[in-house]
Amino acid sequence: MAVDAQATDTHPDAEADADVIVTDDLTKIFEGRGGRVRAVEHLSLRVRRGEIFGLLGPNGAGKTTTVGMLTTRVIPTRGRALVGGIDVVARPATAKQVIGVVPQTNTLDRSLDVAENLYFHGRYFGMGAREAHDRVRGLLEQFRLADRATAGVDELSGGMAQRLMVARAIMHDPDVLFLDEPTSGLDPQSRLALWDVIGELHRRGQTIVLTTHYMEEADQLCERVAIIDHGRLLALDTPEALKKSIGADTEVRIHASGDLEALARELEQVPGVDSARVVDGTVYAYLRAGGATLPEIITHADRKGFALQDVGVKETTLETVFIDLTGRELRE
Amino acid sequence: MSNAGITAVKPAHASSRSAFAALLLRDLAVLRKEVWMFLGRTVMQPLLLIFVFAYVFPKIGEAIGGAAGAARFSTLLVGGVIASSMIFQGVQAVALPLVQDFGYTREIEDRVLAPMPVWAVALEKVASGAIQAVIAALVVFVLATFIPATPVHLSIHWFYLVTILPLSAMMSAALGLTIGTRVEPRQVPLIFSLLVLPMTFLGAVYYPWQGLTPLPWLKWSVLVNPLIYLSEGMRLSLTKGVPHMPVAAVYAALVAFTAVFSKLGIDGFKKRVLS
């Protein structure tokens, strides 16, 4: 039982300087009684130092499996992944030194109090007692948990527990902080508070990879977003570029009775309508900037004999991009 | 916080060593918090056993082996009770926390992410369980020596004691790791009734293994019970004149069981935390 195959204290890969995460053809296939599940396929991406990188996709898209592979807990079936220049498959014990993880569920140590959760985490990562104590004090202040230092972790609210998990994950100053669905299950207020925390970490230079199925979260927080579905990377760019890529800047949602497919086809005839399609009983029409206007669409539909029940207009979002790529909505 | 450059990475063996030590420190800190619970579950069973068999029975004239046998029984009970307490503690100290660790909350996650190989995280559980088993042995040793109504004649063989005690503790904790990782978390408590209890009753706790000679089928079939070697080993270390199995058999079996349980436990642990 060897520790890691190779142990050095310098990073072997020059590419680590610019890209803190590199994956090549990363693939995970689960073989179970229910058959083969291709959780992640041929994922090749790079995350730059200091950026907030989002993995956006519906539940079951392969986001958590991807994070699992990058954080040594899921063994890839194929492909390669480097974090901080360290191969996570060949040298997991070394790679774990540069990784901080906030998992999806509350994995705080129930046998320890709030401060001890941070303190022992620091010790696991080789901090001395004094250094760990000092760092705990600073983090408890920073994360507004100082008055809860000796509380049991079961006494914390959802938002506090999540903040403590983030504090724990950065206790050892990792190269990359992974946040797996960090705000799911939080109330709106706690969600905004956590967005602030994440933004602040980013300003301090922390590289962050977060997974989410909330498109607002990806849009608001992330500098670049990878859209993933069925284990495959569908698109990767800044939120602005992704939204621009669909060639429209306004989305019109129409609830109507009758043949919706026919309505969509009709709407596509209106000058300035980029495209129209039916998704889950709603007609979506995408309008180019300075093109068709809402009254023109309504008039056209009316003239063709369609009874519109409800019409909504908004700017295109990452959700629009997802629908454009997959023909499905992002929400589960 | 400094993220301008890449964090200085330590060699894996160095980070693994300090992480292992820190995990032990964490377990001892938890043990210190729960010291009364630990003593409660350590002391109760042996205390009652020794009180009833080695104090009440001789006093009310129901002593096993008659009046003359009472002293001998109290003496051989010391090794047996220490052995059964160790296995109980070792299994409990490792298997029960794993129920929580692998359960809904997945608390083990943070420790699995410590900069060390996963097998070392599992082995740390064995080390920490072994420490608790040794503490249990010391506590029970005091009880078993001072409570009996008849004098206890101990004769400590130091070499056997300092080798067999830690080996037995490791074996008990490794068994705990096997149970904790191979049995569904919800069913672990059931294992105590179905496995640990029969092991204790048929583990040469109340009689030396040689004493089973009139029942050859039992004498040979109980050899699959790892507790046999622990009990025999403890009596070997603490008493003189009580018949016991060959010393080499005790050592060989303890080493073999420790190795097998560690392997099963580590593999089971990996299966639980890696996919």
Side-chain angles (χ1 to χ4, degrees):
Chain A
M1 290 194 224
V3 180
D4 274 359
Q6 152 195 29
T8 63
D9 49 7
T10 51
H11 293 288
D13 262 283
E15 58 195 335
D17 290 339
D19 295 319
V20 70
I21 295 176
V22 176
T23 76
D24 285 320
D25 193 32
L26 200 59
T27 299
K28 178 63 184 182
I29 299 168
F30 289 105
E31 307 267 1
R33 270 174 234 128
R36 291 154 71 90
V37 177
R38 297 168 178 279
V40 175
E41 281 194 287
H42 313 301
L43 186 68
S44 299
L45 49 81
R46 268 139 218 271
V47 175
R48 296 170 197 144
R49 184 161 299 280
E51 79 174 331
I52 303 192
F53 187 93
L55 291 169
L56 175 69
N59 288 336
K63 305 182 303 276
T64 298
T65 304
T66 302
V67 170
M69 286 192 280
L70 294 174
T71 56
T72 75
R73 290 162 303 158
V74 177
I75 314 293
T77 311
R78 241 197 334 275
R80 185 177 77 128
L82 304 179
V83 176
I86 303 160
D87 187 321
V88 296
V89 181
R91 303 170 60 202
T94 312
K96 282 189 263 191
Q97 292 180 49
V98 300
I99 290 169
V101 184
V102 178
Q104 242 179 68
T105 54
N106 178 344
T107 60
L108 293 169
D109 195 331
R110 267 75 170 171
S111 308
L112 302 175
D113 68 27
V114 168
E116 287 168 338
N117 261 277
L118 298 179
Y119 174 78
F120 282 104
H121 181 92
R123 299 297 303 265
Y124 302 160
F125 284 82
M127 285 184 173
R130 169 160 302 217
E131 188 191 0
H133 275 304
D134 290 348
R135 177 103 169 121
V136 169
R137 209 168 308 125
L139 284 175
L140 289 178
E141 287 294 337
Q142 186 187 340
F143 286 84
R144 291 177 289 115
L145 290 164
D147 55 339
R148 298 294 177 127
T150 56
V153 295
D154 283 329
E155 300 163 35
L156 301 180
S157 70
M160 285 177 177
Q162 197 66 339
R163 291 208 300 276
L164 180 57
M165 296 232 289
V166 176
R168 183 178 69 173
I170 61 163
M171 176 78 191
H172 60 285
D173 198 8
D175 276 1
V176 189
L177 172 62
F178 290 92
L179 299 156
D180 197 1
E181 297 279 357
T183 61
S184 91
L186 290 188
D187 58 85
Q189 202 183 346
S190 303
R191 169 174 302 173
L192 289 178
L194 194 65
W195 282 8
D196 283 345
V197 167
I198 294 170
E200 176 60 25
L201 290 175
H202 173 57
R203 274 189 293 285
R204 294 180 182 213
Q206 178 72 59
T207 309
I208 298 171
V209 173
L210 73 85
T211 77
T212 182
H213 65 278
Y214 298 115
M215 58 92 191
E216 308 94 333
E217 195 158 281
D219 203 346
Q220 290 265 329
L221 285 178
C222 299
E223 286 164 297
R224 288 195 304 146
V225 174
I227 297 182
I228 294 187
D229 192 35
H230 296 307
R232 285 172 179 275
L233 179 66
L234 301 180
L236 197 172
D237 215 325
T238 62
E240 293 69 34
L242 286 170
K243 285 183 282 188
K244 227 175 244 165
S245 70
I246 50 177
D249 72 345
T250 307
E251 173 189 288
V252 181
R253 295 182 184 220
I254 302 161
H255 289 277
S257 53
D259 186 349
L260 297 181
E261 293 290 348
L263 174 58
R265 279 196 301 278
E266 278 301 335
L267 292 180
E268 279 187 330
Q269 305 308 312
V270 180
V273 172
D274 186 69
S275 62
R277 64 167 81 197
V278 182
V279 178
D280 292 340
T282 305
V283 179
Y284 290 80
Y286 301 108
L287 315 188
R288 281 189 292 275
T293 58
L294 189 59
E296 287 173 67
I297 288 183
I298 295 172
T299 312
H300 186 83
D302 196 39
R303 206 174 324 125
K304 295 290 176 183
F306 290 95
L308 306 192
Q309 291 154 344
D310 188 24
V311 178
V313 183
K314 63 175 187 176
E315 276 180 40
T316 51
T317 62
L318 290 180
E319 172 107 46
T320 322
V321 179
F322 187 82
I323 291 170
D324 189 57
L325 289 167
T326 65
R328 291 185 294 115
E329 285 190 76
L330 188 54
R331 311 250 170 228
E332 60 274 60
Chain B
M1 209 183 314
S2 64
N3 279 291
I6 297 172
T7 312
V9 181
K10 289 186 205 133
H13 58 85
S15 74
S16 302
R17 248 201 317 274
S18 60
F20 190 93
L23 285 175
L24 266 183
L25 201 67
R26 179 259 174 207
D27 285 350
L28 291 179
V30 173
L31 180 65
R32 210 181 58 190
K33 283 183 179 206
E34 297 171 350
V35 67
W36 293 111
M37 256 166 70
F38 171 79
L39 285 177
R41 65 176 197 230
T42 306
V43 167
M44 212 52 195
Q45 201 201 6
L47 182 70
L48 286 171
L49 252 164
I50 296 161
F51 179 67
V52 173
F53 285 112
Y55 182 84
V56 176
F57 275 20
K59 289 276 184 198
I60 62 176
E62 295 285 345
I64 295 166
R72 186 177 165 274
F73 180 70
S74 302
T75 302
L76 74 85
L77 197 59
V78 177
V81 169
I82 289 177
S84 77
S85 302
M86 283 180 82
I87 212 141
F88 224 75
Q89 269 324 304
V91 169
Q92 242 175 354
V94 181
L96 290 188
L98 283 179
V99 173
Q100 191 173 344
D101 282 334
F102 291 141
Y104 174 69
T105 60
R106 300 281 305 170
E107 282 171 52
I108 196 77
E109 201 101 312
D110 188 49
R111 280 162 274 157
V112 169
L113 286 166
M116 64 205 286
V118 172
W119 60 259
V121 181
L123 216 55
E124 184 278 333
K125 285 267 152 211
V126 175
S128 122
I131 291 173
Q132 299 189 42
V134 169
I135 299 174
L138 296 177
V139 171
V140 174
F141 177 78
V142 174
L143 296 179
T145 312
F146 295 107
I147 293 178
T150 52
V152 170
H153 302 288
L154 296 183
S155 146
I156 297 177
H157 192 300
W158 285 103
F159 176 77
Y160 291 158
L161 187 65
V162 299
T163 48
I164 290 177
L165 191 71
L167 197 53
S168 305
M170 291 285 283
M171 188 197 74
S172 308
L175 175 61
L177 185 68
T178 301
I179 292 174
T181 56
R182 298 270 165 169
V183 177
E184 274 307 302
R186 281 182 303 120
Q187 287 167 353
V188 168
L190 185 68
I191 283 295
F192 276 86
S193 332
L194 292 184
L195 187 77
V196 181
L197 216 56
M199 266 175 59
T200 344
F201 275 91
L202 298 171
V205 170
Y206 315 107
Y207 43 83
W209 177 69
Q210 300 283 15
L212 288 176
T213 306
L215 297 169
W217 64 272
L218 189 62
K219 185 178 177 184
W220 297 108
S221 56
V222 292
L223 287 182
V224 299
N225 182 352
L227 180 53
I228 293 279
Y229 309 97
L230 220 165
S231 305
E232 290 285 303
M234 278 297 121
R235 274 195 290 270
L236 206 61
S237 312
L238 298 174
T239 52
K240 225 182 207 154
V242 178
H244 56 75
M245 67 171 59
V247 177
V250 170
Y251 277 99
L254 286 176
V255 169
F257 273 114
T258 305
V260 169
F261 291 147
S262 297
K263 169 84 177 126
L264 285 175
I266 287 171
D267 288 352
F269 190 87
K270 280 188 183 167
K271 235 177 245 166
R272 292 260 176 190
V273 300
L274 298 175
S275 53

CSV table of all heavy atoms in Angstrom, one decimal, chain B residues 188-221:
chain,number,residue,atom,x,y,z
B,188,VAL,N,-26.3,-2.4,12.1
B,188,VAL,CA,-25.2,-2.6,12.9
B,188,VAL,C,-25.6,-3.0,14.4
B,188,VAL,O,-25.0,-3.9,15.0
B,188,VAL,CB,-24.2,-1.4,12.9
B,188,VAL,CG1,-23.2,-1.4,14.0
B,188,VAL,CG2,-23.5,-1.3,11.5
B,189,PRO,N,-26.6,-2.2,15.0
B,189,PRO,CA,-27.0,-2.6,16.3
B,189,PRO,C,-27.4,-4.1,16.4
B,189,PRO,O,-27.1,-4.8,17.4
B,189,PRO,CB,-28.1,-1.7,16.6
B,189,PRO,CG,-27.9,-0.5,15.8
B,189,PRO,CD,-27.3,-1.0,14.5
B,190,LEU,N,-28.1,-4.6,15.4
B,190,LEU,CA,-28.5,-5.9,15.4
B,190,LEU,C,-27.3,-6.9,15.4
B,190,LEU,O,-27.4,-8.0,16.1
B,190,LEU,CB,-29.3,-6.2,14.1
B,190,LEU,CG,-30.0,-7.5,13.9
B,190,LEU,CD1,-31.1,-7.7,14.9
B,190,LEU,CD2,-30.5,-7.7,12.5
B,191,ILE,N,-26.2,-6.5,14.8
B,191,ILE,CA,-25.1,-7.4,14.8
B,191,ILE,C,-24.6,-7.6,16.2
B,191,ILE,O,-24.0,-8.7,16.5
B,191,ILE,CB,-23.9,-6.7,14.0
B,191,ILE,CG1,-24.3,-6.8,12.5
B,191,ILE,CG2,-22.6,-7.2,14.3
B,191,ILE,CD1,-24.2,-8.2,12.0
B,192,PHE,N,-24.8,-6.7,17.1
B,192,PHE,CA,-24.3,-6.9,18.5
B,192,PHE,C,-25.0,-8.1,19.1
B,192,PHE,O,-24.4,-8.9,19.8
B,192,PHE,CB,-24.5,-5.6,19.3
B,192,PHE,CG,-23.4,-4.7,19.1
B,192,PHE,CD1,-23.4,-3.8,18.1
B,192,PHE,CD2,-22.3,-4.7,20.0
B,192,PHE,CE1,-22.3,-2.9,17.9
B,192,PHE,CE2,-21.2,-3.9,19.8
B,192,PHE,CZ,-21.2,-3.0,18.7
B,193,SER,N,-26.3,-8.2,18.8
B,193,SER,CA,-27.1,-9.4,19.4
B,193,SER,C,-26.7,-10.6,18.7
B,193,SER,O,-26.6,-11.7,19.3
B,193,SER,CB,-28.6,-9.2,19.3
B,193,SER,OG,-28.9,-7.8,19.4
B,194,LEU,N,-26.6,-10.5,17.3
B,194,LEU,CA,-26.4,-11.7,16.5
B,194,LEU,C,-25.0,-12.2,16.5
B,194,LEU,O,-24.7,-13.4,16.2
B,194,LEU,CB,-26.9,-11.5,15.1
B,194,LEU,CG,-28.4,-11.3,15.0
B,194,LEU,CD1,-28.8,-11.1,13.5
B,194,LEU,CD2,-29.2,-12.4,15.6
B,195,LEU,N,-24.0,-11.3,16.7
B,195,LEU,CA,-22.6,-11.8,16.5
B,195,LEU,C,-21.8,-11.6,17.8
B,195,LEU,O,-21.2,-12.5,18.3
B,195,LEU,CB,-22.0,-11.0,15.3
B,195,LEU,CG,-20.6,-11.4,14.9
B,195,LEU,CD1,-20.7,-12.7,14.1
B,195,LEU,CD2,-19.9,-10.4,14.1
B,196,VAL,N,-21.8,-10.4,18.3
B,196,VAL,CA,-20.9,-10.0,19.4
B,196,VAL,C,-21.3,-10.8,20.6
B,196,VAL,O,-20.4,-11.3,21.3
B,196,VAL,CB,-20.9,-8.5,19.6
B,196,VAL,CG1,-19.9,-8.2,20.7
B,196,VAL,CG2,-20.4,-7.8,18.3
B,197,LEU,N,-22.6,-10.9,20.9
B,197,LEU,CA,-23.0,-11.6,22.1
B,197,LEU,C,-22.7,-13.1,22.1
B,197,LEU,O,-22.0,-13.6,23.0
B,197,LEU,CB,-24.5,-11.4,22.3
B,197,LEU,CG,-25.0,-11.2,23.8
B,197,LEU,CD1,-24.2,-10.1,24.4
B,197,LEU,CD2,-26.5,-11.0,23.8
B,198,PRO,N,-23.0,-13.8,21.0
B,198,PRO,CA,-22.6,-15.2,21.0
B,198,PRO,C,-21.1,-15.4,21.0
B,198,PRO,O,-20.6,-16.3,21.6
B,198,PRO,CB,-23.1,-15.7,19.6
B,198,PRO,CG,-24.0,-14.7,19.1
B,198,PRO,CD,-23.9,-13.4,19.9
B,199,MET,N,-20.4,-14.5,20.4
B,199,MET,CA,-18.9,-14.5,20.5
B,199,MET,C,-18.5,-14.5,21.9
B,199,MET,O,-17.6,-15.2,22.3
B,199,MET,CB,-18.3,-13.3,19.7
B,199,MET,CG,-18.0,-13.6,18.3
B,199,MET,SD,-17.4,-12.1,17.5
B,199,MET,CE,-16.0,-11.7,18.5
B,200,THR,N,-19.1,-13.6,22.7
B,200,THR,CA,-18.7,-13.5,24.1
B,200,THR,C,-19.0,-14.8,24.9
B,200,THR,O,-18.2,-15.3,25.7
B,200,THR,CB,-19.4,-12.3,24.8
B,200,THR,OG1,-19.9,-11.5,23.8
B,200,THR,CG2,-18.5,-11.6,25.7
B,201,PHE,N,-20.2,-15.3,24.7
B,201,PHE,CA,-20.6,-16.5,25.5
B,201,PHE,C,-19.7,-17.7,25.1
B,201,PHE,O,-19.5,-18.6,25.9
B,201,PHE,CB,-22.1,-16.8,25.3
B,201,PHE,CG,-22.9,-16.0,26.3
B,201,PHE,CD1,-23.3,-14.7,26.0
B,201,PHE,CD2,-23.1,-16.4,27.6
B,201,PHE,CE1,-24.0,-13.9,26.9
B,201,PHE,CE2,-23.8,-15.7,28.5
B,201,PHE,CZ,-24.2,-14.4,28.2
B,202,LEU,N,-19.3,-17.8,23.8
B,202,LEU,CA,-18.6,-18.9,23.4
B,202,LEU,C,-17.1,-18.6,23.1
B,202,LEU,O,-16.4,-19.2,22.3
B,202,LEU,CB,-19.2,-19.5,22.1
B,202,LEU,CG,-20.6,-20.0,22.2
B,202,LEU,CD1,-21.3,-20.3,20.9
B,202,LEU,CD2,-20.7,-21.2,23.1
B,203,GLY,N,-16.6,-17.6,23.8
B,203,GLY,CA,-15.3,-17.1,23.6
B,203,GLY,C,-14.3,-17.4,24.7
B,203,GLY,O,-13.3,-16.7,24.9
B,204,ALA,N,-14.5,-18.5,25.4
B,204,ALA,CA,-13.6,-18.9,26.5
B,204,ALA,C,-13.4,-17.8,27.5
B,204,ALA,O,-12.3,-17.6,28.0
B,204,ALA,CB,-12.3,-19.4,25.9
B,205,VAL,N,-14.5,-17.1,27.8
B,205,VAL,CA,-14.5,-16.0,28.7
B,205,VAL,C,-14.6,-16.6,30.2
B,205,VAL,O,-13.8,-16.2,31.1
B,205,VAL,CB,-15.6,-15.0,28.5
B,205,VAL,CG1,-15.7,-14.0,29.6
B,205,VAL,CG2,-15.3,-14.3,27.1
B,206,TYR,N,-15.5,-17.5,30.3
B,206,TYR,CA,-15.8,-18.0,31.7
B,206,TYR,C,-15.1,-19.4,32.0
B,206,TYR,O,-15.2,-19.9,33.0
B,206,TYR,CB,-17.3,-18.2,31.9
B,206,TYR,CG,-18.1,-17.1,31.3
B,206,TYR,CD1,-18.8,-17.2,30.1
B,206,TYR,CD2,-18.1,-15.9,32.0
B,206,TYR,CE1,-19.5,-16.1,29.7
B,206,TYR,CE2,-18.8,-14.8,31.5
B,206,TYR,CZ,-19.5,-14.9,30.3
B,206,TYR,OH,-20.2,-13.9,29.9
B,207,TYR,N,-14.4,-19.9,31.0
B,207,TYR,CA,-13.7,-21.2,31.2
B,207,TYR,C,-12.5,-21.2,30.2
B,207,TYR,O,-12.5,-20.5,29.2
B,207,TYR,CB,-14.6,-22.3,30.8
B,207,TYR,CG,-15.4,-22.1,29.6
B,207,TYR,CD1,-14.8,-22.3,28.3
B,207,TYR,CD2,-16.7,-21.5,29.6
B,207,TYR,CE1,-15.5,-22.0,27.1
B,207,TYR,CE2,-17.4,-21.3,28.5
B,207,TYR,CZ,-16.8,-21.5,27.2
B,207,TYR,OH,-17.5,-21.2,26.1
B,208,PRO,N,-11.4,-21.9,30.6
B,208,PRO,CA,-10.3,-22.0,29.6
B,208,PRO,C,-10.7,-22.9,28.5
B,208,PRO,O,-11.5,-23.8,28.6
B,208,PRO,CB,-9.2,-22.6,30.5
B,208,PRO,CG,-9.8,-23.2,31.6
B,208,PRO,CD,-11.1,-22.6,31.9
B,209,TRP,N,-10.1,-22.6,27.3
B,209,TRP,CA,-10.4,-23.4,26.1
B,209,TRP,C,-10.2,-24.9,26.4
B,209,TRP,O,-11.1,-25.7,26.0
B,209,TRP,CB,-9.6,-22.9,25.0
B,209,TRP,CG,-9.8,-23.7,23.7
B,209,TRP,CD1,-10.9,-23.7,22.9
B,209,TRP,CD2,-8.9,-24.6,23.1
B,209,TRP,NE1,-10.8,-24.5,21.9
B,209,TRP,CE2,-9.5,-25.1,21.9
B,209,TRP,CE3,-7.6,-25.0,23.4
B,209,TRP,CZ2,-8.9,-26.0,21.1
B,209,TRP,CZ3,-7.0,-25.9,22.5
B,209,TRP,CH2,-7.7,-26.4,21.4
B,210,GLN,N,-9.1,-25.2,27.1
B,210,GLN,CA,-8.8,-26.6,27.4
B,210,GLN,C,-10.0,-27.3,28.1
B,210,GLN,O,-10.2,-28.5,28.1
B,210,GLN,CB,-7.6,-26.8,28.2
B,210,GLN,CG,-6.3,-26.2,27.5
B,210,GLN,CD,-5.8,-27.1,26.4
B,210,GLN,OE1,-6.5,-28.0,26.0
B,210,GLN,NE2,-4.6,-26.8,25.9
B,211,GLY,N,-10.7,-26.5,28.9
B,211,GLY,CA,-11.8,-27.0,29.7
B,211,GLY,C,-12.9,-27.6,28.8
B,211,GLY,O,-13.8,-28.3,29.3
B,212,LEU,N,-12.9,-27.3,27.5
B,212,LEU,CA,-14.0,-27.8,26.7
B,212,LEU,C,-13.7,-29.3,26.2
B,212,LEU,O,-14.5,-29.8,25.4
B,212,LEU,CB,-14.1,-26.9,25.4
B,212,LEU,CG,-14.8,-25.5,25.7
B,212,LEU,CD1,-14.7,-24.7,24.4
B,212,LEU,CD2,-16.2,-25.7,26.2
B,213,THR,N,-12.6,-29.9,26.6
B,213,THR,CA,-12.2,-31.2,26.2
B,213,THR,C,-13.4,-32.2,26.2
B,213,THR,O,-13.5,-33.0,25.3
B,213,THR,CB,-11.0,-31.7,26.9
B,213,THR,OG1,-10.0,-30.7,26.8
B,213,THR,CG2,-10.5,-33.0,26.4
B,214,PRO,N,-14.2,-32.2,27.2
B,214,PRO,CA,-15.3,-33.2,27.2
B,214,PRO,C,-16.3,-33.0,26.1
B,214,PRO,O,-17.1,-33.8,25.8
B,214,PRO,CB,-16.0,-32.9,28.6
B,214,PRO,CG,-15.0,-32.2,29.4
B,214,PRO,CD,-14.2,-31.5,28.5
B,215,LEU,N,-16.3,-31.8,25.4
B,215,LEU,CA,-17.2,-31.5,24.3
B,215,LEU,C,-16.3,-31.2,23.1
B,215,LEU,O,-16.2,-30.1,22.6
B,215,LEU,CB,-18.0,-30.3,24.6
B,215,LEU,CG,-19.0,-30.3,25.7
B,215,LEU,CD1,-19.6,-29.0,26.0
B,215,LEU,CD2,-20.2,-31.3,25.4
B,216,PRO,N,-15.8,-32.3,22.5
B,216,PRO,CA,-14.8,-32.1,21.4
B,216,PRO,C,-15.4,-31.3,20.2
B,216,PRO,O,-14.7,-30.4,19.7
B,216,PRO,CB,-14.5,-33.5,20.9
B,216,PRO,CG,-15.0,-34.4,21.9
B,216,PRO,CD,-16.0,-33.7,22.8
B,217,TRP,N,-16.7,-31.5,19.9
B,217,TRP,CA,-17.2,-30.8,18.7
B,217,TRP,C,-17.2,-29.3,19.0
B,217,TRP,O,-17.0,-28.4,18.1
B,217,TRP,CB,-18.7,-31.3,18.4
B,217,TRP,CG,-19.7,-31.0,19.5
B,217,TRP,CD1,-19.9,-31.8,20.6
B,217,TRP,CD2,-20.5,-29.9,19.7
B,217,TRP,NE1,-20.8,-31.3,21.4
B,217,TRP,CE2,-21.2,-30.1,20.9
B,217,TRP,CE3,-20.7,-28.7,19.0
B,217,TRP,CZ2,-22.1,-29.2,21.4
B,217,TRP,CZ3,-21.6,-27.8,19.5
B,217,TRP,CH2,-22.3,-28.0,20.7
B,218,LEU,N,-17.5,-28.9,20.3
B,218,LEU,CA,-17.6,-27.5,20.6
B,218,LEU,C,-16.1,-26.9,20.7
B,218,LEU,O,-15.8,-25.8,20.2
B,218,LEU,CB,-18.3,-27.3,21.9
B,218,LEU,CG,-18.5,-25.8,22.3
B,218,LEU,CD1,-19.5,-25.2,21.3
B,218,LEU,CD2,-19.2,-25.8,23.7
B,219,LYS,N,-15.3,-27.8,21.3
B,219,LYS,CA,-13.9,-27.3,21.5
B,219,LYS,C,-13.3,-26.9,20.1
B,219,LYS,O,-12.6,-25.9,20.0
B,219,LYS,CB,-13.1,-28.5,22.1
B,219,LYS,CG,-11.7,-28.1,22.4
B,219,LYS,CD,-10.9,-29.2,23.1
B,219,LYS,CE,-9.4,-28.7,23.3
B,219,LYS,NZ,-8.6,-29.8,23.9
B,220,TRP,N,-13.5,-27.7,19.1
B,220,TRP,CA,-12.9,-27.4,17.8
B,220,TRP,C,-13.7,-26.4,17.0
B,220,TRP,O,-13.1,-25.5,16.3
B,220,TRP,CB,-12.7,-28.7,17.0
B,220,TRP,CG,-11.7,-29.6,17.7
B,220,TRP,CD1,-12.0,-30.7,18.3
B,220,TRP,CD2,-10.3,-29.3,17.9
B,220,TRP,NE1,-10.9,-31.2,19.0
B,220,TRP,CE2,-9.8,-30.4,18.7
B,220,TRP,CE3,-9.4,-28.3,17.6
B,220,TRP,CZ2,-8.5,-30.4,19.1
B,220,TRP,CZ3,-8.1,-28.4,18.0
B,220,TRP,CH2,-7.7,-29.4,18.8
B,221,SER,N,-15.0,-26.4,17.1
B,221,SER,CA,-15.8,-25.4,16.3
B,221,SER,C,-15.6,-24.0,16.8
B,221,SER,O,-15.7,-23.0,16.1
B,221,SER,CB,-17.2,-25.8,16.2
B,221,SER,OG,-17.8,-26.0,17.4
